[in-house]
Amino acid sequence: MSAIQLREGVWSVGVLNPALRVFDIVMESRYGTSYNAYLVTGGEKTALIEAVHKDYFEDLVSNIEEILPVEKLDYLIMNHTEPDHSGGVRALLDRCPNLTVLCSSSAKKFLTSIANEEFPCRVVKDGDTLDLGGKTLRFISAPLLHWPDSIFTWDEADKTLFTCDFLGCHFCEPSMRDTGIHPEFRRYYEAELLNYFNCIFGPFKPAVLDGLDKMPAGVELVCTSHGPTLSQSIGYVKDCYRQWAAPAVRPDGKKTVGIIYCSAYGCTRALADAAAKALTADGLQVTTLDVVFAAPETVSALVNACDVVLFGTPTINRNAPEAIWNAVHGVDAINTRGRAAGAFGSFGWTGEAAGMVQEQLKQLKFKTVEAPFKVCFTPTEADLTTMAEWARGVADLVKAPESVKPKAQKYICKLCGYIYDPETGDPDRGVAPGTAFEDVPKLWTCPLCGMDKAMFKPLD
Ligand SMILES: Cc1cc2nc3c(=O)[nH]c(=O)nc-3n(C[C@H](O)[C@H](O)[C@H](O)COP(=O)(O)O)c2cc1C
């Protein structure tokens, strides 16, 4: 791909990768992708926005050199430092002796470890500007879209917003414009847009709503870091994001329970049914799903929508079946706070599966009861009664009024929104549950974005 002029003084200089089928190890990219980068010049100074994956650095350079010699670049703006945008930074610094990197404070920290070297850097805050001589860029803080480091860059003169991954999509479109998508392929683009949202932004829905609100009025062109730039689709994509990020509505205010199971001979199913019957009778809203017959998206949507999730698994060859592990893998591990889960199942002789799943649920930080519930082969009537009580015990972890009251005020990180809760502390980093924020060690830093303790303020 060569450079494509998008506006006066704005070029797309990124790289197409139509053959990629798996992105970042975990994400299917059925229609390839593009590693987007943009050149913006104001006449006097020139900025590159994003630096592509390191494997495509030379392609980036040859695209830039259609406009100007790469050594002439003055600035590199990193809206976000994930290696698919920052992999080329180190090579670029070697080629451009006068290059200054502009990025958020956490991006500077991340980039120092990614490039493993110091570099000339100007940390920018919300509202800061960069004068290119005849064109001014403004930076907009947009944390957690989808890393703590994210910012948007706004080119007011060209009504162009550079959003990095936000509103992007793995979809290789050689014209680099949404207007270039063949009408026949539009539905594939839209499907990939949803897939991308779910994988990348699903865990950060409140941040998505903030990001939409922070987009300046009058944007005519959105330059994302993957897929075509948006002009005619801006309204459509924003509406989709707003709808997908909206909090789930519970008209009747009931606590929700998802029971996810599989069962070869009906034993685990009988346990699932007993739990569903008891919890429904208690007034909870229960959905039961056999994972063998449900689409993965349906399973993960249920797993992540419910206050309480129960996983029912038989033991097969000393393990849980793949379908159950896939369902557990679908858990949005960033948003399990305040939710409860547990594992149950039937077994024949060794019975490991329910315990293995229960252990994983604990590691995912669900609230849970001490032990899974297991039954040898066919459940008796007494087993079904005990199962119902066990399920109630798990559900009560959410229903019960907060028995462990926070000992002190919760605090929120002003950069990324991480909430320090004295009730849970930060045991992984040496802060025991029950530690008031005031007693957290001075050198403790935000587990999410790495900011100092001083960056926290009391949560209203
Ligand atoms: C292929 C196969 C392998 C099994 N392997 C084990 C095992 O390793 N350990 C065990 O405790 N039970 C094992 N079992 C027994 C089942 O866990 C038991 O039949 C259980 O009741 C099945 O529950 P379900 O009807 O809900 O599938 C195995 C069963 C099958 C069919």
Side-chain angles (χ1 to χ4, degrees), residues 385-420:
T385 305
T386 314
M387 173 68 201
E389 288 313 310
W390 177 88
R392 285 190 171 110
V394 181
D396 280 351
L397 295 173
V398 171
K399 276 201 302 184
E402 291 289 347
S403 52
V404 189
K405 288 271 177 231
K407 285 192 183 153
Q409 170 75 46
K410 291 180 187 173
Y411 277 69
I412 184 164
C413 174
K414 285 192 268 183
L415 179 68
C416 74
Y418 171 84
I419 294 170
Y420 175 82

mmCIF file of all heavy atoms in Angstrom, residues 385-420:
data_model
loop_
_atom_site.group_PDB
_atom_site.id
_atom_site.type_symbol
_atom_site.label_atom_id
_atom_site.label_comp_id
_atom_site.label_asym_id
_atom_site.label_seq_id
_atom_site.Cartn_x
_atom_site.Cartn_y
_atom_site.Cartn_z
ATOM 1 N N THR A 385 -31.763 -31.738 46.999
ATOM 2 C CA THR A 385 -32.074 -30.756 48.043
ATOM 3 C C THR A 385 -30.798 -30.027 48.481
ATOM 4 O O THR A 385 -30.777 -28.796 48.624
ATOM 5 C CB THR A 385 -32.708 -31.467 49.267
ATOM 6 O OG1 THR A 385 -33.828 -32.209 48.796
ATOM 7 C CG2 THR A 385 -33.148 -30.472 50.327
ATOM 8 N N THR A 386 -29.727 -30.796 48.651
ATOM 9 C CA THR A 386 -28.460 -30.167 49.061
ATOM 10 C C THR A 386 -27.941 -29.234 47.964
ATOM 11 O O THR A 386 -27.395 -28.172 48.234
ATOM 12 C CB THR A 386 -27.397 -31.246 49.383
ATOM 13 O OG1 THR A 386 -28.001 -32.251 50.191
ATOM 14 C CG2 THR A 386 -26.219 -30.660 50.114
ATOM 15 N N MET A 387 -28.129 -29.674 46.725
ATOM 16 C CA MET A 387 -27.711 -28.829 45.589
ATOM 17 C C MET A 387 -28.426 -27.484 45.651
ATOM 18 O O MET A 387 -27.819 -26.420 45.460
ATOM 19 C CB MET A 387 -28.041 -29.550 44.272
ATOM 20 C CG MET A 387 -27.802 -28.720 43.031
ATOM 21 S SD MET A 387 -26.039 -28.411 42.750
ATOM 22 C CE MET A 387 -26.135 -26.957 41.702
ATOM 23 N N ALA A 388 -29.744 -27.524 45.916
ATOM 24 C CA ALA A 388 -30.526 -26.284 45.974
ATOM 25 C C ALA A 388 -29.976 -25.372 47.078
ATOM 26 O O ALA A 388 -29.808 -24.160 46.879
ATOM 27 C CB ALA A 388 -32.000 -26.600 46.217
ATOM 28 N N GLU A 389 -29.631 -25.972 48.203
ATOM 29 C CA GLU A 389 -29.093 -25.165 49.316
ATOM 30 C C GLU A 389 -27.731 -24.585 48.954
ATOM 31 O O GLU A 389 -27.418 -23.434 49.272
ATOM 32 C CB GLU A 389 -28.984 -26.020 50.593
ATOM 33 C CG GLU A 389 -30.334 -26.338 51.217
ATOM 34 C CD GLU A 389 -31.227 -25.093 51.311
ATOM 35 O OE1 GLU A 389 -30.751 -24.058 51.808
ATOM 36 O OE2 GLU A 389 -32.384 -25.151 50.849
ATOM 37 N N TRP A 390 -26.919 -25.418 48.291
ATOM 38 C CA TRP A 390 -25.586 -24.936 47.879
ATOM 39 C C TRP A 390 -25.734 -23.749 46.919
ATOM 40 O O TRP A 390 -25.048 -22.726 47.067
ATOM 41 C CB TRP A 390 -24.826 -26.091 47.211
ATOM 42 C CG TRP A 390 -23.471 -25.698 46.680
ATOM 43 C CD1 TRP A 390 -22.288 -25.701 47.369
ATOM 44 C CD2 TRP A 390 -23.166 -25.252 45.362
ATOM 45 N NE1 TRP A 390 -21.269 -25.274 46.554
ATOM 46 C CE2 TRP A 390 -21.773 -24.993 45.316
ATOM 47 C CE3 TRP A 390 -23.917 -25.042 44.209
ATOM 48 C CZ2 TRP A 390 -21.131 -24.541 44.164
ATOM 49 C CZ3 TRP A 390 -23.280 -24.583 43.062
ATOM 50 C CH2 TRP A 390 -21.903 -24.338 43.044
ATOM 51 N N ALA A 391 -26.640 -23.872 45.946
ATOM 52 C CA ALA A 391 -26.851 -22.787 44.968
ATOM 53 C C ALA A 391 -27.323 -21.530 45.684
ATOM 54 O O ALA A 391 -26.889 -20.410 45.356
ATOM 55 C CB ALA A 391 -27.865 -23.227 43.911
ATOM 56 N N ARG A 392 -28.214 -21.688 46.659
ATOM 57 C CA ARG A 392 -28.682 -20.528 47.444
ATOM 58 C C ARG A 392 -27.500 -19.865 48.170
ATOM 59 O O ARG A 392 -27.412 -18.646 48.243
ATOM 60 C CB ARG A 392 -29.715 -20.963 48.488
ATOM 61 C CG ARG A 392 -31.065 -21.267 47.885
ATOM 62 C CD ARG A 392 -32.120 -21.444 48.980
ATOM 63 N NE ARG A 392 -33.432 -21.526 48.393
ATOM 64 C CZ ARG A 392 -34.187 -22.634 48.346
ATOM 65 N NH1 ARG A 392 -33.750 -23.754 48.893
ATOM 66 N NH2 ARG A 392 -35.374 -22.618 47.768
ATOM 67 N N GLY A 393 -26.606 -20.711 48.665
ATOM 68 C CA GLY A 393 -25.428 -20.177 49.376
ATOM 69 C C GLY A 393 -24.582 -19.301 48.459
ATOM 70 O O GLY A 393 -24.100 -18.241 48.860
ATOM 71 N N VAL A 394 -24.412 -19.752 47.221
ATOM 72 C CA VAL A 394 -23.619 -18.943 46.275
ATOM 73 C C VAL A 394 -24.371 -17.653 45.954
ATOM 74 O O VAL A 394 -23.806 -16.549 45.993
ATOM 75 C CB VAL A 394 -23.328 -19.726 44.966
ATOM 76 C CG1 VAL A 394 -22.487 -18.870 44.018
ATOM 77 C CG2 VAL A 394 -22.617 -21.044 45.261
ATOM 78 N N ALA A 395 -25.669 -17.784 45.664
ATOM 79 C CA ALA A 395 -26.458 -16.602 45.299
ATOM 80 C C ALA A 395 -26.509 -15.601 46.453
ATOM 81 O O ALA A 395 -26.510 -14.383 46.228
ATOM 82 C CB ALA A 395 -27.864 -17.018 44.895
ATOM 83 N N ASP A 396 -26.514 -16.102 47.676
ATOM 84 C CA ASP A 396 -26.563 -15.210 48.847
ATOM 85 C C ASP A 396 -25.330 -14.328 48.959
ATOM 86 O O ASP A 396 -25.370 -13.276 49.593
ATOM 87 C CB ASP A 396 -26.722 -16.027 50.138
ATOM 88 C CG ASP A 396 -28.176 -16.443 50.344
ATOM 89 O OD1 ASP A 396 -29.031 -15.952 49.590
ATOM 90 O OD2 ASP A 396 -28.433 -17.280 51.240
ATOM 91 N N LEU A 397 -24.243 -14.749 48.361
ATOM 92 C CA LEU A 397 -23.031 -13.924 48.429
ATOM 93 C C LEU A 397 -23.278 -12.574 47.771
ATOM 94 O O LEU A 397 -22.628 -11.586 48.089
ATOM 95 C CB LEU A 397 -21.861 -14.632 47.727
ATOM 96 C CG LEU A 397 -21.388 -15.933 48.358
ATOM 97 C CD1 LEU A 397 -20.345 -16.606 47.478
ATOM 98 C CD2 LEU A 397 -20.811 -15.660 49.742
ATOM 99 N N VAL A 398 -24.215 -12.555 46.843
ATOM 100 C CA VAL A 398 -24.548 -11.298 46.182
ATOM 101 C C VAL A 398 -25.753 -10.657 46.840
ATOM 102 O O VAL A 398 -25.786 -9.450 47.037
ATOM 103 C CB VAL A 398 -24.838 -11.541 44.679
ATOM 104 C CG1 VAL A 398 -25.390 -10.293 44.025
ATOM 105 C CG2 VAL A 398 -23.564 -11.975 43.985
ATOM 106 N N LYS A 399 -26.712 -11.491 47.233
ATOM 107 C CA LYS A 399 -27.958 -10.928 47.785
ATOM 108 C C LYS A 399 -27.754 -10.301 49.155
ATOM 109 O O LYS A 399 -28.364 -9.295 49.480
ATOM 110 C CB LYS A 399 -28.986 -12.055 47.947
ATOM 111 C CG LYS A 399 -29.759 -12.363 46.683
ATOM 112 C CD LYS A 399 -31.052 -13.068 47.001
ATOM 113 C CE LYS A 399 -30.825 -14.352 47.757
ATOM 114 N NZ LYS A 399 -32.076 -15.101 47.996
ATOM 115 N N ALA A 400 -26.892 -10.913 49.953
ATOM 116 C CA ALA A 400 -26.788 -10.481 51.347
ATOM 117 C C ALA A 400 -26.347 -9.029 51.432
ATOM 118 O O ALA A 400 -25.528 -8.591 50.630
ATOM 119 C CB ALA A 400 -25.778 -11.360 52.065
ATOM 120 N N PRO A 401 -26.890 -8.275 52.412
ATOM 121 C CA PRO A 401 -26.368 -6.917 52.598
ATOM 122 C C PRO A 401 -24.887 -7.014 52.947
ATOM 123 O O PRO A 401 -24.466 -7.996 53.552
ATOM 124 C CB PRO A 401 -27.182 -6.376 53.772
ATOM 125 C CG PRO A 401 -27.867 -7.550 54.385
ATOM 126 C CD PRO A 401 -27.911 -8.641 53.371
ATOM 127 N N GLU A 402 -24.142 -6.034 52.531
ATOM 128 C CA GLU A 402 -22.695 -6.073 52.732
ATOM 129 C C GLU A 402 -22.369 -6.400 54.186
ATOM 130 O O GLU A 402 -22.485 -5.550 55.064
ATOM 131 C CB GLU A 402 -22.069 -4.732 52.351
ATOM 132 C CG GLU A 402 -22.107 -4.444 50.869
ATOM 133 C CD GLU A 402 -21.159 -5.313 50.072
ATOM 134 O OE1 GLU A 402 -20.293 -5.981 50.677
ATOM 135 O OE2 GLU A 402 -21.294 -5.345 48.843
ATOM 136 N N SER A 403 -21.999 -7.659 54.445
ATOM 137 C CA SER A 403 -21.674 -8.004 55.823
ATOM 138 C C SER A 403 -20.285 -7.494 56.191
ATOM 139 O O SER A 403 -20.034 -7.123 57.321
ATOM 140 C CB SER A 403 -21.744 -9.516 56.022
ATOM 141 O OG SER A 403 -20.977 -10.142 55.040
ATOM 142 N N VAL A 404 -19.395 -7.458 55.171
ATOM 143 C CA VAL A 404 -18.066 -6.916 55.442
ATOM 144 C C VAL A 404 -18.061 -5.474 54.961
ATOM 145 O O VAL A 404 -17.882 -5.200 53.781
ATOM 146 C CB VAL A 404 -16.980 -7.707 54.680
ATOM 147 C CG1 VAL A 404 -15.597 -7.281 55.137
ATOM 148 C CG2 VAL A 404 -17.184 -9.187 54.860
ATOM 149 N N LYS A 405 -18.341 -4.580 55.850
ATOM 150 C CA LYS A 405 -18.392 -3.161 55.486
ATOM 151 C C LYS A 405 -16.974 -2.650 55.253
ATOM 152 O O LYS A 405 -16.056 -3.023 55.983
ATOM 153 C CB LYS A 405 -19.019 -2.355 56.618
ATOM 154 C CG LYS A 405 -20.507 -2.594 56.745
ATOM 155 C CD LYS A 405 -21.267 -1.606 55.863
ATOM 156 C CE LYS A 405 -22.756 -1.862 55.921
ATOM 157 N NZ LYS A 405 -23.384 -1.973 54.638
ATOM 158 N N PRO A 406 -16.790 -1.792 54.261
ATOM 159 C CA PRO A 406 -15.459 -1.214 54.091
ATOM 160 C C PRO A 406 -15.036 -0.499 55.363
ATOM 161 O O PRO A 406 -15.846 0.185 55.988
ATOM 162 C CB PRO A 406 -15.647 -0.198 52.955
ATOM 163 C CG PRO A 406 -16.942 -0.541 52.317
ATOM 164 C CD PRO A 406 -17.754 -1.315 53.296
ATOM 165 N N LYS A 407 -13.789 -0.690 55.735
ATOM 166 C CA LYS A 407 -13.312 -0.052 56.962
ATOM 167 C C LYS A 407 -13.094 1.435 56.747
ATOM 168 O O LYS A 407 -12.942 2.182 57.680
ATOM 169 C CB LYS A 407 -12.011 -0.696 57.406
ATOM 170 C CG LYS A 407 -12.224 -2.056 58.021
ATOM 171 C CD LYS A 407 -10.950 -2.514 58.691
ATOM 172 C CE LYS A 407 -11.157 -3.908 59.243
ATOM 173 N NZ LYS A 407 -9.941 -4.657 59.341
ATOM 174 N N ALA A 408 -13.001 1.835 55.495
ATOM 175 C CA ALA A 408 -12.730 3.243 55.234
ATOM 176 C C ALA A 408 -13.215 3.589 53.832
ATOM 177 O O ALA A 408 -13.751 2.747 53.117
ATOM 178 C CB ALA A 408 -11.245 3.501 55.370
ATOM 179 N N GLN A 409 -12.998 4.797 53.495
ATOM 180 C CA GLN A 409 -13.371 5.370 52.207
ATOM 181 C C GLN A 409 -12.700 4.618 51.042
ATOM 182 O O GLN A 409 -11.534 4.253 51.123
ATOM 183 C CB GLN A 409 -12.900 6.830 52.253
ATOM 184 C CG GLN A 409 -12.953 7.593 50.970
ATOM 185 C CD GLN A 409 -14.371 7.974 50.606
ATOM 186 O OE1 GLN A 409 -15.126 8.447 51.435
ATOM 187 N NE2 GLN A 409 -14.727 7.726 49.374
ATOM 188 N N LYS A 410 -13.452 4.420 49.927
ATOM 189 C CA LYS A 410 -12.834 3.909 48.702
ATOM 190 C C LYS A 410 -12.149 5.070 47.981
ATOM 191 O O LYS A 410 -12.599 6.218 48.079
ATOM 192 C CB LYS A 410 -13.893 3.317 47.775
ATOM 193 C CG LYS A 410 -14.516 2.037 48.298
ATOM 194 C CD LYS A 410 -15.551 1.524 47.328
ATOM 195 C CE LYS A 410 -16.287 0.337 47.924
ATOM 196 N NZ LYS A 410 -17.407 -0.119 47.129
ATOM 197 N N TYR A 411 -11.105 4.766 47.229
ATOM 198 C CA TYR A 411 -10.382 5.792 46.469
ATOM 199 C C TYR A 411 -10.341 5.396 44.999
ATOM 200 O O TYR A 411 -10.290 4.211 44.665
ATOM 201 C CB TYR A 411 -8.945 5.958 47.001
ATOM 202 C CG TYR A 411 -8.865 6.875 48.202
ATOM 203 C CD1 TYR A 411 -9.401 6.484 49.430
ATOM 204 C CD2 TYR A 411 -8.267 8.120 48.105
ATOM 205 C CE1 TYR A 411 -9.355 7.333 50.534
ATOM 206 C CE2 TYR A 411 -8.204 8.975 49.202
ATOM 207 C CZ TYR A 411 -8.751 8.578 50.403
ATOM 208 O OH TYR A 411 -8.703 9.406 51.489
ATOM 209 N N ILE A 412 -10.317 6.410 44.116
ATOM 210 C CA ILE A 412 -10.300 6.139 42.668
ATOM 211 C C ILE A 412 -9.062 6.768 42.039
ATOM 212 O O ILE A 412 -8.659 7.888 42.416
ATOM 213 C CB ILE A 412 -11.600 6.667 42.008
ATOM 214 C CG1 ILE A 412 -11.634 6.302 40.511
ATOM 215 C CG2 ILE A 412 -11.771 8.177 42.182
ATOM 216 C CD1 ILE A 412 -13.003 6.439 39.881
ATOM 217 N N CYS A 413 -8.449 6.036 41.105
ATOM 218 C CA CYS A 413 -7.286 6.568 40.389
ATOM 219 C C CYS A 413 -7.777 7.608 39.385
ATOM 220 O O CYS A 413 -8.630 7.310 38.549
ATOM 221 C CB CYS A 413 -6.540 5.437 39.666
ATOM 222 S SG CYS A 413 -5.214 6.029 38.621
ATOM 223 N N LYS A 414 -7.221 8.811 39.468
ATOM 224 C CA LYS A 414 -7.693 9.891 38.598
ATOM 225 C C LYS A 414 -7.331 9.637 37.148
ATOM 226 O O LYS A 414 -7.945 10.177 36.239
ATOM 227 C CB LYS A 414 -7.078 11.228 39.048
ATOM 228 C CG LYS A 414 -7.719 11.760 40.323
ATOM 229 C CD LYS A 414 -7.304 13.192 40.580
ATOM 230 C CE LYS A 414 -6.068 13.222 41.465
ATOM 231 N NZ LYS A 414 -5.620 14.550 41.838
ATOM 232 N N LEU A 415 -6.326 8.794 36.911
ATOM 233 C CA LEU A 415 -5.939 8.552 35.517
ATOM 234 C C LEU A 415 -6.800 7.471 34.868
ATOM 235 O O LEU A 415 -7.387 7.683 33.816
ATOM 236 C CB LEU A 415 -4.458 8.141 35.437
ATOM 237 C CG LEU A 415 -3.994 7.855 34.002
ATOM 238 C CD1 LEU A 415 -3.976 9.138 33.194
ATOM 239 C CD2 LEU A 415 -2.631 7.203 33.988
ATOM 240 N N CYS A 416 -6.892 6.323 35.520
ATOM 241 C CA CYS A 416 -7.512 5.199 34.806
ATOM 242 C C CYS A 416 -8.842 4.748 35.407
ATOM 243 O O CYS A 416 -9.516 3.906 34.839
ATOM 244 C CB CYS A 416 -6.549 4.011 34.746
ATOM 245 S SG CYS A 416 -6.368 3.158 36.317
ATOM 246 N N GLY A 417 -9.212 5.290 36.560
ATOM 247 C CA GLY A 417 -10.512 4.918 37.116
ATOM 248 C C GLY A 417 -10.472 3.686 38.002
ATOM 249 O O GLY A 417 -11.518 3.248 38.497
ATOM 250 N N TYR A 418 -9.307 3.083 38.228
ATOM 251 C CA TYR A 418 -9.231 1.919 39.132
ATOM 252 C C TYR A 418 -9.702 2.339 40.530
ATOM 253 O O TYR A 418 -9.333 3.413 41.009
ATOM 254 C CB TYR A 418 -7.786 1.403 39.188
ATOM 255 C CG TYR A 418 -7.573 0.348 40.256
ATOM 256 C CD1 TYR A 418 -7.863 -0.984 39.999
ATOM 257 C CD2 TYR A 418 -7.107 0.686 41.531
ATOM 258 C CE1 TYR A 418 -7.692 -1.954 40.986
ATOM 259 C CE2 TYR A 418 -6.930 -0.271 42.514
ATOM 260 C CZ TYR A 418 -7.218 -1.591 42.234
ATOM 261 O OH TYR A 418 -7.053 -2.544 43.208
ATOM 262 N N ILE A 419 -10.505 1.501 41.140
ATOM 263 C CA ILE A 419 -11.020 1.835 42.468
ATOM 264 C C ILE A 419 -10.309 0.978 43.517
ATOM 265 O O ILE A 419 -10.336 -0.261 43.440
ATOM 266 C CB ILE A 419 -12.544 1.633 42.546
ATOM 267 C CG1 ILE A 419 -13.220 2.643 41.622
ATOM 268 C CG2 ILE A 419 -13.043 1.804 43.988
ATOM 269 C CD1 ILE A 419 -14.697 2.411 41.428
ATOM 270 N N TYR A 420 -9.669 1.650 44.480
ATOM 271 C CA TYR A 420 -9.084 0.924 45.604
ATOM 272 C C TYR A 420 -10.175 0.744 46.649
ATOM 273 O O TYR A 420 -10.748 1.725 47.145
ATOM 274 C CB TYR A 420 -7.896 1.676 46.226
ATOM 275 C CG TYR A 420 -7.396 0.952 47.449
ATOM 276 C CD1 TYR A 420 -6.534 -0.126 47.327
ATOM 277 C CD2 TYR A 420 -7.848 1.295 48.723
ATOM 278 C CE1 TYR A 420 -6.123 -0.843 48.440
ATOM 279 C CE2 TYR A 420 -7.440 0.583 49.843
ATOM 280 C CZ TYR A 420 -6.583 -0.493 49.689
ATOM 281 O OH TYR A 420 -6.190 -1.216 50.780
#
